[in-house]
Amino acid sequence: MSAKIAILPGDGVGPEIVAEAVKVIGCLREDYGLNVELEEAQIGGVAVDATGEPLPEATLRLARQADAILLGAVGGPKWDTIERPRRPEQGLLAIRAALGLFGNLRPAILYAELAGASALRPEIVADLDILIVRELTGGIYFGEPRGVRTLETGEREAYNTLVYRESEIARIARLAFALAAKRGARLCSVDKANVLESSGLWREVVTRLASEYPQVEISHLYVDNAAMQLVRAPKQFDVIVTGNLFGDILSDCAAMLTGSIGMLPSASLDERAKGLYEPVHGSAPDIAGRGVANPLATILSLAMMLRYSLNQPQLAERVESAVGRVLAEGYRTADIYTTGTRRVGTREMGDAVTGALRTGASC
Ligand code: NAD
């Protein structure tokens, strides 16, 4: 039976970069026998324009039926002034919540060829390969009560609640332990257990679970120290697991170690490894429609889909090594271009990756 992939290009550069990942899927079908069917739907601003909703019912239905979802990006200045519940970004939050996508995987990988793009010295970041696992559906972004109230003095006060249940912590920790076991077998749990009760429980649950994964070496860091260590010596990490708020910040920090937002993929998984795969970057309205966006983050998101939802780890590696090969051959979109390399547009980069994949198939 074929697997079904929902394709949600979204806004801005979304359709341009997703088209290149779809090209790669076409190559995997023809040359490697990948058995998948694709169906496209709208999300974000384009969906608001067409239906009034950032996540139309038909899109959610398709996403529920699909085995995996590939998303481009949502948002843009055109929709920045409409009321908040109908903004494109709400479509993204809604689909994550509706599908129970609690585990956000953000690899930060720096291909040696791009080490010069990092703000850090090449010897600190070259060949970096770390994975941040962020809890995505709990914590302070969802905790109740929340709001803004006016005190008796007339002054306003805003409040949010950082709450984690043991089951939520155990679920994300198990995912992180399992991922670490398949990589470098080192897991660092990040919290603020010296100050926050929710972090105290977090540390307790992670520590208890560690005995079920004796092959994984566990360590704990406070979030402030983790931020420092990420910039000081990032290669000390293999997998990092943390809550929603800390993960949001640390994963962007880790992303920037690589220097190029156009290279960073992500996955958001549910309990049965169904996932939504998308580049870390946004809709890049400043370059949309010009054919210059880097499609590699989306193509690498597809590789994550092959590995985590479609159970095709060898094809995932093929795609990742095809990306490595085009970089080694000097292909660069504008965001990663340096003198002496070969500047190409979105389509040419997609073509180069499928070309490298095809060559790989015949040898
Ligand atoms: P952005 O990531 O879209 O762009 C930041 C900078 O990176 C821009 O200069 C852009 O040109 C560049 N960039 C991004 N992707 C690139 C690519 N593939 N190739 C080359 N350069 C690339 O962030 P922003 O400008 O803060 O946000 C723009 C819109 O995207 C906003 O509406 C925002 O809400 C939305 N957004 C969506 C998502 C998402 O869909 N997951 C994530 C972040 C932001």
Side-chain angles (χ1 to χ4, degrees):
M1 223 181 69
S2 66
K4 186 167 197 165
I5 305 177
I7 304 284
L8 312 181
D11 306 316
V13 295
E16 299 168 49
I17 53 180
V18 166
E20 299 313 309
V22 167
K23 222 186 250 175
V24 172
I25 295 173
C27 174
L28 294 172
R29 273 163 140 175
E30 285 164 30
D31 292 16
Y32 294 89
L34 178 68
N35 191 7
V36 290
E37 57 173 294
L38 311 186
E39 192 172 332
E40 192 172 315
Q42 291 177 327
I43 192 168
V46 286
V48 171
D49 288 350
T51 69
E53 299 294 330
L55 179 63
E57 192 47 46
T59 303
L60 185 56
R61 206 176 319 123
L62 171 66
R64 285 193 201 282
Q65 287 164 3
D67 299 290
I69 300 144
L70 184 67
L71 186 135
V74 299
K78 182 178 174 193
W79 304 282
D80 276 351
T81 48
I82 61 177
E83 70 270 33
R84 198 165 287 280
R86 287 177 55 241
R87 291 211 191 140
E89 292 78 4
Q90 295 301 319
L92 203 51
L93 295 179
I95 197 171
R96 285 175 184 159
L99 299 181
L101 304 174
F102 70 93
N104 186 220
L105 277 52
R106 296 259 307 249
I109 295 171
L110 185 56
Y111 289 88
E113 292 86 358
L114 301 182
S118 175
L120 299 189
R121 288 197 307 277
E123 66 270 24
I124 294 178
V125 287
D127 297 314
L128 179 76
D129 181 0
I130 61 183
L131 176 64
I132 299 206
V133 180
R134 165 189 170 195
E135 201 289 325
L136 200 59
T137 52
I140 199 163
Y141 292 173
F142 293 90
E144 296 285 350
R146 62 191 294 159
V148 182
R149 59 191 163 212
T150 304
L151 302 173
E152 280 171 10
T153 58
E155 188 185 10
R156 285 181 309 150
E157 174 180 80
Y159 54 97
N160 294 89
T161 303
L162 174 40
V163 55
Y164 268 118
R165 285 195 304 270
E166 283 181 296
S167 55
E168 288 176 297
I169 302 167
R171 184 172 67 168
I172 191 74
R174 280 186 200 285
L175 176 63
F177 273 114
L179 290 164
K182 288 188 187 161
R183 292 172 42 107
R186 284 179 299 115
L187 178 62
C188 178
S189 172
V190 172
D191 60 41
K192 190 71 182 169
N194 49 345
V195 178
L196 301 173
E197 283 76 8
S198 54
S199 277
L201 185 64
W202 179 282
R203 191 173 282 216
E204 195 186 306
V205 172
V206 173
T207 304
R208 192 172 67 222
L209 282 176
S211 60
E212 293 177 27
Y213 301 87
Q215 73 278 40
V216 177
E217 182 195 319
I218 180 78
S219 60
H220 302 268
L221 279 185
Y222 297 135
V223 63
D224 40 351
N225 189 11
M228 215 159 62
Q229 296 301 328
L230 262 179
V231 179
R232 193 185 69 83
K235 286 193 259 183
Q236 70 183 283
F237 295 109
D238 177 25
V239 180
I240 292 175
V241 63
T242 188
N244 205 343
L245 172 63
F246 300 153
D248 190 3
I249 299 163
L250 290 183
S251 59
D252 268 20
C253 174
M256 271 306 103
L257 297 175
T258 72
S260 46
I261 196 161
M263 294 295 301
L264 298 165
S266 79
S268 303
L269 304 182
D270 75 2
E271 290 189 66
R272 294 163 58 206
K274 171 174 174 162
L276 180 133
Y277 297 83
E278 57 180 326
V280 164
H281 62 73
S283 60
D286 53 333
I287 56 167
R290 291 178 24 210
V292 296
N294 186 345
L296 294 180
T298 315
I299 291 172
L300 291 169
S301 300
L302 169 66
M304 291 185 82
M305 178 193 292
L306 291 163
R307 178 171 292 116
Y308 296 117
S309 290
L310 303 184
N311 201 18
Q312 298 279 356
Q314 277 136 4
L315 288 189
E317 270 167 39
R318 291 265 186 182
V319 172
E320 286 160 354
S321 55
V323 169
R325 191 155 146 199
V326 301
L327 292 173
E329 284 167 5
Y331 289 87
R332 300 284 189 277
T333 41
D335 56 312
I336 50 174
Y337 175 78
T338 46
T339 315
T341 59
R342 179 171 170 186
R343 193 182 191 123
V344 295
T346 312
R347 274 196 212 145
E348 287 162 283
M349 186 59 107
D351 288 341
V353 175
T354 48
L357 264 176
R358 291 222 149 89
T359 322
S362 58
C363 51

